[in-house]
PDB file of all heavy atoms in Angstrom:
ATOM      1  N   THR B  15       1.687   5.879 -17.290  1.00  0.00           N
ATOM      2  CA  THR B  15       2.571   7.048 -17.236  1.00  0.00           C
ATOM      3  C   THR B  15       3.453   7.112 -18.478  1.00  0.00           C
ATOM      4  O   THR B  15       3.670   8.185 -19.050  1.00  0.00           O
ATOM      5  CB  THR B  15       3.451   6.979 -15.983  1.00  0.00           C
ATOM      6  OG1 THR B  15       2.612   6.751 -14.871  1.00  0.00           O
ATOM      7  CG2 THR B  15       4.202   8.261 -15.788  1.00  0.00           C
ATOM      8  N   ALA B  16       3.941   5.934 -18.911  1.00  0.00           N
ATOM      9  CA  ALA B  16       4.806   5.914 -20.092  1.00  0.00           C
ATOM     10  C   ALA B  16       4.050   6.446 -21.303  1.00  0.00           C
ATOM     11  O   ALA B  16       4.557   7.305 -22.045  1.00  0.00           O
ATOM     12  CB  ALA B  16       5.292   4.489 -20.345  1.00  0.00           C
ATOM     13  N   VAL B  17       2.812   5.968 -21.481  1.00  0.00           N
ATOM     14  CA  VAL B  17       2.025   6.419 -22.639  1.00  0.00           C
ATOM     15  C   VAL B  17       1.728   7.910 -22.541  1.00  0.00           C
ATOM     16  O   VAL B  17       1.837   8.659 -23.520  1.00  0.00           O
ATOM     17  CB  VAL B  17       0.735   5.591 -22.729  1.00  0.00           C
ATOM     18  CG1 VAL B  17      -0.212   6.197 -23.736  1.00  0.00           C
ATOM     19  CG2 VAL B  17       1.054   4.168 -23.115  1.00  0.00           C
ATOM     20  N   LEU B  18       1.377   8.370 -21.324  1.00  0.00           N
ATOM     21  CA  LEU B  18       1.055   9.793 -21.164  1.00  0.00           C
ATOM     22  C   LEU B  18       2.300  10.651 -21.415  1.00  0.00           C
ATOM     23  O   LEU B  18       2.191  11.751 -21.964  1.00  0.00           O
ATOM     24  CB  LEU B  18       0.504  10.042 -19.763  1.00  0.00           C
ATOM     25  CG  LEU B  18      -0.931   9.551 -19.565  1.00  0.00           C
ATOM     26  CD1 LEU B  18      -1.356   9.744 -18.124  1.00  0.00           C
ATOM     27  CD2 LEU B  18      -1.873  10.298 -20.477  1.00  0.00           C
ATOM     28  N   LEU B  19       3.487  10.141 -21.021  1.00  0.00           N
ATOM     29  CA  LEU B  19       4.712  10.901 -21.285  1.00  0.00           C
ATOM     30  C   LEU B  19       4.923  11.048 -22.785  1.00  0.00           C
ATOM     31  O   LEU B  19       5.299  12.129 -23.265  1.00  0.00           O
ATOM     32  CB  LEU B  19       5.919  10.197 -20.661  1.00  0.00           C
ATOM     33  CG  LEU B  19       6.153  10.420 -19.180  1.00  0.00           C
ATOM     34  CD1 LEU B  19       7.378   9.662 -18.728  1.00  0.00           C
ATOM     35  CD2 LEU B  19       6.318  11.892 -18.883  1.00  0.00           C
ATOM     36  N   VAL B  20       4.667   9.960 -23.534  1.00  0.00           N
ATOM     37  CA  VAL B  20       4.791  10.055 -24.989  1.00  0.00           C
ATOM     38  C   VAL B  20       3.812  11.097 -25.522  1.00  0.00           C
ATOM     39  O   VAL B  20       4.156  11.912 -26.391  1.00  0.00           O
ATOM     40  CB  VAL B  20       4.555   8.674 -25.636  1.00  0.00           C
ATOM     41  CG1 VAL B  20       4.520   8.798 -27.145  1.00  0.00           C
ATOM     42  CG2 VAL B  20       5.651   7.709 -25.236  1.00  0.00           C
ATOM     43  N   GLY B  21       2.591  11.091 -24.971  1.00  0.00           N
ATOM     44  CA  GLY B  21       1.604  12.079 -25.394  1.00  0.00           C
ATOM     45  C   GLY B  21       2.041  13.501 -25.093  1.00  0.00           C
ATOM     46  O   GLY B  21       1.949  14.393 -25.951  1.00  0.00           O
ATOM     47  N   ILE B  22       2.528  13.727 -23.866  1.00  0.00           N
ATOM     48  CA  ILE B  22       2.976  15.074 -23.483  1.00  0.00           C
ATOM     49  C   ILE B  22       4.125  15.530 -24.383  1.00  0.00           C
ATOM     50  O   ILE B  22       4.163  16.672 -24.858  1.00  0.00           O
ATOM     51  CB  ILE B  22       3.396  15.080 -22.004  1.00  0.00           C
ATOM     52  CG1 ILE B  22       2.166  14.942 -21.110  1.00  0.00           C
ATOM     53  CG2 ILE B  22       4.139  16.355 -21.653  1.00  0.00           C
ATOM     54  CD1 ILE B  22       2.510  14.768 -19.663  1.00  0.00           C
ATOM     55  N   GLY B  23       5.043  14.600 -24.649  1.00  0.00           N
ATOM     56  CA  GLY B  23       6.163  14.932 -25.530  1.00  0.00           C
ATOM     57  C   GLY B  23       5.678  15.273 -26.924  1.00  0.00           C
ATOM     58  O   GLY B  23       6.153  16.226 -27.542  1.00  0.00           O
ATOM     59  N   GLY B  24       4.678  14.505 -27.412  1.00  0.00           N
ATOM     60  CA  GLY B  24       4.132  14.793 -28.739  1.00  0.00           C
ATOM     61  C   GLY B  24       3.497  16.170 -28.786  1.00  0.00           C
ATOM     62  O   GLY B  24       3.662  16.915 -29.755  1.00  0.00           O
ATOM     63  N   LEU B  25       2.801  16.513 -27.712  1.00  0.00           N
ATOM     64  CA  LEU B  25       2.176  17.841 -27.632  1.00  0.00           C
ATOM     65  C   LEU B  25       3.237  18.942 -27.711  1.00  0.00           C
ATOM     66  O   LEU B  25       3.103  19.914 -28.468  1.00  0.00           O
ATOM     67  CB  LEU B  25       1.416  17.928 -26.310  1.00  0.00           C
ATOM     68  CG  LEU B  25       0.506  19.128 -26.106  1.00  0.00           C
ATOM     69  CD1 LEU B  25      -0.613  19.059 -27.108  1.00  0.00           C
ATOM     70  CD2 LEU B  25      -0.033  19.137 -24.697  1.00  0.00           C
ATOM     71  N   GLY B  26       4.316  18.769 -26.943  1.00  0.00           N
ATOM     72  CA  GLY B  26       5.383  19.774 -26.960  1.00  0.00           C
ATOM     73  C   GLY B  26       6.072  19.836 -28.309  1.00  0.00           C
ATOM     74  O   GLY B  26       6.438  20.912 -28.793  1.00  0.00           O
ATOM     75  N   LEU B  27       6.203  18.680 -28.944  1.00  0.00           N
ATOM     76  CA  LEU B  27       6.878  18.626 -30.246  1.00  0.00           C
ATOM     77  C   LEU B  27       6.049  19.373 -31.290  1.00  0.00           C
ATOM     78  O   LEU B  27       6.585  20.087 -32.133  1.00  0.00           O
ATOM     79  CB  LEU B  27       7.067  17.165 -30.649  1.00  0.00           C
ATOM     80  CG  LEU B  27       7.901  16.906 -31.886  1.00  0.00           C
ATOM     81  CD1 LEU B  27       9.317  17.366 -31.647  1.00  0.00           C
ATOM     82  CD2 LEU B  27       7.900  15.429 -32.220  1.00  0.00           C
ATOM     83  N   TRP B  28       4.741  19.213 -31.213  1.00  0.00           N
ATOM     84  CA  TRP B  28       3.864  19.888 -32.169  1.00  0.00           C
ATOM     85  C   TRP B  28       3.839  21.387 -31.901  1.00  0.00           C
ATOM     86  O   TRP B  28       3.976  22.211 -32.798  1.00  0.00           O
ATOM     87  CB  TRP B  28       2.465  19.298 -32.045  1.00  0.00           C
ATOM     88  CG  TRP B  28       1.468  19.830 -33.028  1.00  0.00           C
ATOM     89  CD1 TRP B  28       1.470  21.071 -33.603  1.00  0.00           C
ATOM     90  CD2 TRP B  28       0.338  19.143 -33.546  1.00  0.00           C
ATOM     91  NE1 TRP B  28       0.410  21.189 -34.430  1.00  0.00           N
ATOM     92  CE2 TRP B  28      -0.309  20.037 -34.433  1.00  0.00           C
ATOM     93  CE3 TRP B  28      -0.212  17.885 -33.337  1.00  0.00           C
ATOM     94  CZ2 TRP B  28      -1.468  19.681 -35.109  1.00  0.00           C
ATOM     95  CZ3 TRP B  28      -1.367  17.543 -34.015  1.00  0.00           C
ATOM     96  CH2 TRP B  28      -1.979  18.421 -34.888  1.00  0.00           C
ATOM     97  N   ARG B  29       3.667  21.755 -30.654  1.00  0.00           N
ATOM     98  CA  ARG B  29       3.347  23.130 -30.327  1.00  0.00           C
ATOM     99  C   ARG B  29       4.589  24.020 -30.328  1.00  0.00           C
ATOM    100  O   ARG B  29       4.544  25.158 -30.757  1.00  0.00           O
ATOM    101  CB  ARG B  29       2.675  23.145 -28.948  1.00  0.00           C
ATOM    102  CG  ARG B  29       2.181  24.490 -28.530  1.00  0.00           C
ATOM    103  CD  ARG B  29       1.261  24.341 -27.358  1.00  0.00           C
ATOM    104  NE  ARG B  29       0.903  25.618 -26.807  1.00  0.00           N
ATOM    105  CZ  ARG B  29       1.586  26.194 -25.833  1.00  0.00           C
ATOM    106  NH1 ARG B  29       2.624  25.598 -25.321  1.00  0.00           N
ATOM    107  NH2 ARG B  29       1.214  27.369 -25.376  1.00  0.00           N
TER     108      ARG B  29
END
Side-chain angles (χ1 to χ4, degrees):
Chain B
T15 309
V17 169
L18 285 176
L19 279 180
V20 173
I22 289 173
L25 190 65
L27 187 64
W28 184 331
R29 185 166 172 269

